[in-house]
Amino acid sequence: NAGVTQTPKFQVLKTGQSMTLQCAQDMNHEYMSWYRQDPGMGLRLIHYSVGAGITDQGEVPNGYNVSRSTTEDFPLRLLSAAPSQTSVYFCASSLQPGYPTDTQYFGPGTRLTVL
Amino acid sequence: AQSVTQLGSHVSVSEGALVLLRCNYSSSVPPYLFWYVQYPNQGLQLLLKYTSAATLVKGINGFEAEFKKSETSFHLTKPSAHMSDAAEYFCAVVADTGNQFYFGTGTSLTVIP
C-alpha cells in the first residue's frame, strides 16, 4: 500500500492564481481531511469528508473548496490564491475518527508559497 | 467543544534524561487523545493514543502517556532521551461523537548530546 499520497510536494503561486492540491489514499478509508500547518499554530483543519459525496467545513475553510467524488481522492482547490495561504498542507485519512481502533494517517505534505 | 493546550513550545533535554511533554485537554464529552510526532520535512506519525481502555498508554519508540481525568492531562514521557527523538510533537483530541481532530500548537524537542 502507498498509504496517503500528495502532489505536488512544492508549489509557488502568484496572488490570484488557482490550483488544486491532490490527495489520494489506497486504504479504503472513509474519512479524509485537509490541514494547514503554520508556525506556532499547529495543524488546523480546513475541510473534511466522511465519505464519497459528503464534505464539511473545518476550522479554517475560507478560500478553499473540496469535493469527494470517489473514496480514494480528496482534492483541495484554491480558487484565488492569497499570500495568507502560504503554508504547509497535509492530507490525512482514517476509517472513522472517534472509533477506539481508528488511526489517522498523514501524507508527506505540500509546501505552498503564494507571492 | 474540544481543545488541547501544549505547555512549552520548546523543550530541551540532555541525551539520557527524562522527556516530559505536557498536554492538557478540554472536552465536554469523553475524549480520545493522541500524540503525534513530526520529523523534519515529513508528515505526522502516530506515537500513541488513549481510547479509554487503559489510562497508561504505551506507544512506539519507548514513549508512554498517562490519561488523568482529574487533571485533564495527557502528558507524554520517555525515561531516557535519544538523539533520534528530536522532533516536533503534537497532542490532539477528538470527541467520541465527533469528526474533527483538534491539534495543539506543538512542542519542539531538542536533545543535547
Side-chain angles (χ1 to χ4, degrees):
Chain A
N1 286 350
V4 180
T5 58
Q6 292 183 237
T7 56
K9 290 187 177 181
F10 301 94
Q11 183 70 50
V12 179
L13 293 178
K14 294 181 179 179
T15 297
Q17 287 184 317
S18 64
M19 80 159 295
T20 300
L21 307 185
Q22 301 291 344
C23 174
Q25 52 89 12
D26 60 359
M27 298 174 283
N28 202 31
H29 285 170
E30 290 295 323
Y31 181 91
M32 297 186 73
S33 55
W34 277 101
Y35 294 89
R36 59 178 290 173
Q37 183 179 24
D38 302 291
M41 304 192 74
L43 278 78
R44 292 180 292 168
L45 183 65
I46 303 171
H47 286 284
Y48 66 96
S49 168
V50 298
I54 306 170
T55 63
D56 205 348
Q57 296 181 351
E59 184 181 355
V60 288
N62 292 342
Y64 307 95
N65 281 352
V66 293
S67 60
R68 184 95 178 270
S69 57
T70 68
T71 298
E72 295 77 21
D73 301 297
F74 190 45
L76 178 71
R77 298 183 185 85
L78 284 70
L79 299 179
S80 180
S84 61
Q85 294 179 303
T86 294
S87 186
V88 180
Y89 292 85
F90 289 99
C91 179
S93 75
S94 62
L95 283 171
Q96 182 70 39
Y99 286 175
T101 57
D102 203 17
T103 296
Q104 195 162 204
Y105 295 88
F106 283 81
T110 294
R111 188 174 296 273
L112 176 67
T113 301
V114 183
L115 303 176
Chain B
Q2 291 77 41
S3 66
V4 291
T5 301
Q6 292 184 240
L7 299 177
S9 58
H10 298 277
V11 170
S12 294
V13 299
S14 298
E15 190 175 14
L18 171 71
V19 176
L20 171 61
L21 304 182
R22 300 177 185 275
C23 173
N24 289 90
Y25 72 90
S26 173
S27 178
S28 56
V29 296
Y32 294 142
L33 293 158
F34 303 78
W35 275 100
Y36 283 86
V37 60
Q38 183 182 32
Y39 298 104
N41 299 314
Q42 294 186 25
L44 276 71
Q45 177 184 357
L46 180 68
L47 271 179
L48 50 81
K49 59 182 176 181
Y50 166 75
T51 58
S52 76
T55 57
L56 182 62
V57 182
K58 294 186 183 298
I60 62 172
N61 301 337
F63 284 93
E64 63 181 35
E66 186 172 7
F67 174 73
K68 292 187 177 181
K69 185 176 180 180
S70 60
E71 299 177 8
T72 61
S73 68
F74 190 58
H75 301 332
L76 181 71
T77 61
K78 182 175 181 178
S80 177
H82 192 273
M83 296 298 294
S84 61
D85 295 327
E88 187 96 15
Y89 292 81
F90 293 93
C91 182
V93 63
V94 61
D96 63 353
T97 56
N99 285 317
Q100 298 193 33
F101 276 76
Y102 295 90
F103 284 84
T105 53
T107 297
S108 177
L109 177 66
T110 300
V111 182
I112 304 167

